[in-house]
Every structure is written in structure tokens, then in C-alpha cells.
């Protein structure tokens, strides 16, 4: 496996990603869409998910394709970003045809960033406008770190962010991951230098420092995030939300199986993961451009997990400081004696 030319989920041909954020709000929205509708499913392993239109992604539900997927900050307020994306799709005449009506299908998931130091005293929910702006910005290249849905994300020990990574398999199939990392757990080992994801790094895509050589690393370190937030309890203010995608032609159940396997990527990159207070969720997406046999599914799931592991580390690696931050960036911690 080697990364695609951009090392982004948009290395999967036909996919586009757009970000929109508000610096004062310390929050934002990321939208994945494509040049045609996408087959998709979802799998949830966290105990506190926030979602919209995810029930229809079950294998037994009628709707088979989606027009976009939204990752947003803002907790439940952020679900309104899907409405902004629907507005933009409706204006283009894209969606699920029901007689003369066209209904855009836009599932979404949110993370909690309401207590990160940003100005949340809005008079009107800002996420609908952010959703439309993110959709309008969709392109093959997009920013990582403190951008889009990762703008206000926090991990246990440092700022979180938006991450992405890709892999091209020997047969030519491409797999990619997109993630907004805002977990209860830590993405870095005790000592603030090494990433849990280090064994799976390709090249120096998140610093090239290698794995932590220490032992006994499983004991939790007191969370800076918990200390900075104080109240409510820190297990109520988290979530890692992700999308894994491929150009291999998958059915809806196969998309879900790829999403299930990709959760291993969260567990490899974050400690602890899938807690009762995280809403950890992965969408699985297929553009269907390359014929795929059932035998390929195990490799696709493995590749999706590896891409998601790397994407989470890249989210933190690329985070940048901003006024009023509650936590330092990983890069800041490298300069601390």
C-alpha cells in the first residue's frame, strides 16, 4: 500500500471535500460529496452519537445512495449543517427522485465543541450557513488540522483536528479516510511526543518520530481537556467521526462491513476509544467505479482501518494554534522543555 498523490480521501476518484469554519465560533463543518451519488452505510461504536439520516443507511432500508455526508462541530446544533447542504443540492436538482419531487439525501454526524473557548452566543444557528459554504468549497484539495469540522476539536492532551489519508492497493483500488478527531482519549503517548498511530505511519506524514519505546503506556495520564473544561464531566464532551471510502464497487452491506473494520483504526490511534462518552462513528462509502469481488472485502477493510489510523494522527499533527485555545497543539508541545 502506498498513499495516493494527495494522501487525502479525494485520491478516491470522483470524491470532493469542502471545509467552512468560523474562527470566533471555534467550530466548523466538513462536507464530502462527489460528481455522482454515492453508495453508503454507517457503523456506530461510541456510546453518545449525534446523527441525522443514518437509519436509512441500514442494509434493509430503501434508499441506496447519498448525495453528500456532513461532519460538523456544534453538537446537536451542528446537525443543521445538513440542511444547508440540502439547500445547495436542491438548487442543483440533485437528490432522490420521488415522482416530480427531488429530495437530497444528506446523512451527517456531529462532535461536541461547545465548551472549547469559542463564542457560542449566536442569535441564529450558524451551522446551516456553514454547511452550505462547506459544500460550495468542495474540491480535490482541502486543509487539514484546524479546519472544517476539526476547527475546535480537542483530544485529551492537545488540540484535535481534521485529518485524512489514502492508500492505493496493489490491484489499483484506492481507499481513503476523512476524520474529525475530538476524542475523550489521547492521540499521543505519555510524554506528548509520539503518536499511538506511529507503527502505521507511511514516510513522515505525521512527523516520522516512530513508536514510543517506553513500556506500560496503557495507564491513563490525567487529561488536560478534562482539567480545562471542568464541567460538565469530560466524558460528555467528545467524539471522533469519520468517513472511509473506496472506488471499489460495494453493496450497502459491504460498505457497512468496511466501516466496521475501519473502527480498528480509531482503536489503534486513540487511547481509550469507543467510550460511553464518545460518539465514535464511521461512514463507509463506495463510488463503485472499479468492479470488486467478495474476496476483496477483507483487504478493503484492513486498508480503511490503516488509513483512518493515519488520518487521526495527521489531524493532530496539522492542528494550528489560535487565540483563546484551551489546549496546546502537538507542535507546541514539541517546543516545551
Amino acid at each position: 500500500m502506498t498513499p495516493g498523490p494527495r494522501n487525502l480521501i479525494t485520491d478516491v476518484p470522483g470524491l470532493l471535500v469542502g471545509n467552512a469554519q468560523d474562527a470566533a465560533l471555534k467550530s466548523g463543518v466538513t462536507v464530502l460529496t462527489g460528481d455522482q451519488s454515492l453508495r453508503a452505510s454507517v457503523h456506530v461504536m461510541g456510546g453518545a452519537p449525534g446523527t441525522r439520516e443514518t437509519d436509512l443507511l441500514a442494509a434493509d432500508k430503501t434508499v441506496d445512495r447519498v448525495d453528500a455526508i456532513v461532519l460538523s462541530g456544534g453538537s446537536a446544533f451542528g446537525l443543521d449543517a445538513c440542511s444547508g447542504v440540502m439547500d445547495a443540492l436542491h438548487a442543483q436538482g440533485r437528490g432522490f427522485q420521488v415522482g416530480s419531487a427531488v429530495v437530497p439525501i444528506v446523512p451527517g454526524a456531529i462532535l461536541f465543541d461547545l465548551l472549547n473557548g469559542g463564542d457560542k452566543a449566536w442569535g441564529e444557528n450558524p451551522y446551516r450557513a456553514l454547511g452550505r459554504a462547506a459544500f460550495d468549497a468542495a474540491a480535490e484539495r482541502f486543509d487539514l488540522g484546524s479546519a472544517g469540522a476539526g476547527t475546535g476539536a480537542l483530544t485529551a492532551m492537545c488540540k484535535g483536528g481534521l485529518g485524512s489519508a489514502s492508500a492505493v492497493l496493489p490491484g489499483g483500488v484506492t481507499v481513503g479516510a476523512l476524520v474529525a478527531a475530538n476524542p475523550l482519549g489521547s492521540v499521543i503517548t505519555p510524554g506528548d511526543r509520539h503518536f499511538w498511530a506511529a507503527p502505521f505511519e507511511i514516510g513522515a506524514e505525521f512527523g516520522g518520530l516512530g513508536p514510543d519505546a517506553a513500556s506500560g503506556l496503557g495507564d491513563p495520564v490525567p487529561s488536560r481537556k478534562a482539567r480545562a473544561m471542568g464541567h460538565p464531566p469530560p466524558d460528555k464532551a467528545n467524539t471522533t467521526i469519520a468517513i472511509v471510502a473506496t472506488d471499489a464497487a460495494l453493496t450497502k452491506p459491504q460498505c457497512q462491513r468496511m466501516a466496521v473494520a475501519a473502527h480498528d483504526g480509531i482503536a489503534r490511534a486513540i487511547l481509550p476509544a469507543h467510550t460511553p462518552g464518545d460518539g465514535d462513528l464511521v461512514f463507509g462509502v463506495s463510488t463503485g467505479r472499479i468492479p470488486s469481488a467478495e474476496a476483496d472485502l477483507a483487504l478493503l477493510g484492513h486498508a480503511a482501518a490503516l488509513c483512518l489510523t493515519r488520518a487521526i494522527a495527521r489531524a493532530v499533527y496539522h492542528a494550528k494554534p489560535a487565540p483563546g485555545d484551551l489546549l496546546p497543539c502537538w507542535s507546541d508541545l514539541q517546543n516545551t522543555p
Side-chain angles (χ1 to χ4, degrees), residues 121-151:
W122 59 73
E124 179 178 339
N125 188 327
Y127 287 96
R128 186 171 190 141
L130 285 169
R132 180 147 194 173
F135 179 85
D136 289 342
E140 291 182 340
R141 293 194 177 275
F142 56 95
D143 290 336
L144 300 183
S146 303
T151 299

Side-chain angles (χ1 to χ4, degrees), residues 57-219:
L57 299 182
D60 63 334
K61 299 303 185 289
T62 300
V63 174
D64 187 53
R65 293 181 176 273
V66 305
D67 300 292
I69 296 176
V70 173
L71 306 179
S72 180
S75 188
F77 297 102
L79 294 174
D80 204 32
C82 298
S83 297
V85 176
M86 287 185 71
D87 290 343
L89 287 162
H90 186 262
Q92 296 180 4
R94 294 176 59 182
F96 183 69
Q97 191 83 35
V98 186
S100 61
V102 178
V103 182
I105 306 300
V106 184
I110 50 86
L111 56 80
F112 186 99
D113 60 3
L114 297 179
L115 300 175
N116 64 359
D119 181 6
K120 307 303 194 292
W122 59 73
E124 179 178 339
N125 188 327
Y127 287 96
R128 186 171 190 141
L130 285 169
R132 180 147 194 173
F135 179 85
D136 289 342
E140 291 182 340
R141 293 194 177 275
F142 56 95
D143 290 336
L144 300 183
S146 303
T151 299
L154 303 172
T155 75
M157 306 307 291
C158 60
K159 286 186 72 171
L162 185 76
S164 191
S166 69
V168 180
L169 308 188
V173 168
T174 301
V175 178
L178 176 69
V179 63
N182 183 63
L184 179 146
S186 179
V187 177
I188 51 179
T189 66
D192 296 332
R193 183 165 173 78
H194 296 273
F195 288 93
W196 291 112
F200 308 98
E201 185 176 15
I202 298 177
E205 61 188 341
F206 44 88
L209 298 177
D212 195 327
S215 61
L217 295 172
D219 291 336

Side-chain angles (χ1 to χ4, degrees), residues 99-332:
S100 61
V102 178
V103 182
I105 306 300
V106 184
I110 50 86
L111 56 80
F112 186 99
D113 60 3
L114 297 179
L115 300 175
N116 64 359
D119 181 6
K120 307 303 194 292
W122 59 73
E124 179 178 339
N125 188 327
Y127 287 96
R128 186 171 190 141
L130 285 169
R132 180 147 194 173
F135 179 85
D136 289 342
E140 291 182 340
R141 293 194 177 275
F142 56 95
D143 290 336
L144 300 183
S146 303
T151 299
L154 303 172
T155 75
M157 306 307 291
C158 60
K159 286 186 72 171
L162 185 76
S164 191
S166 69
V168 180
L169 308 188
V173 168
T174 301
V175 178
L178 176 69
V179 63
N182 183 63
L184 179 146
S186 179
V187 177
I188 51 179
T189 66
D192 296 332
R193 183 165 173 78
H194 296 273
F195 288 93
W196 291 112
F200 308 98
E201 185 176 15
I202 298 177
E205 61 188 341
F206 44 88
L209 298 177
D212 195 327
S215 61
L217 295 172
D219 291 336
V221 175
S223 169
R224 293 190 182 103
K225 181 178 182 178
R227 186 166 63 246
M229 285 190 175
H231 298 286
D235 64 351
K236 301 294 191 293
N238 312 285
T239 289
T240 295
I241 47 179
I243 304 168
V244 293
T246 182
D247 50 3
L250 302 181
T251 64
K252 192 195 281 191
Q254 288 174 327
C255 286
Q256 186 188 46
R257 179 48 52 186
M258 182 173 66
V260 170
H263 273 283
D264 288 351
I266 295 178
R268 291 169 184 154
I270 299 169
L271 194 77
H274 304 133
T275 73
D278 281 293
D280 294 346
L281 170 156
V282 180
F283 293 98
V285 170
S286 167
T287 65
R289 298 195 173 200
I290 298 178
S292 175
E294 183 74 33
D296 297 327
L297 194 55
L299 179 59
L300 289 173
H302 175 56
L306 294 178
C307 286
L308 185 47
T309 296
R310 294 160 47 219
I312 290 168
R314 295 189 80 206
V316 171
Y317 178 74
H318 287 285
K320 293 179 173 58
D325 282 349
L326 292 187
L327 296 181
C329 295
W330 176 85
S331 57
D332 296 329

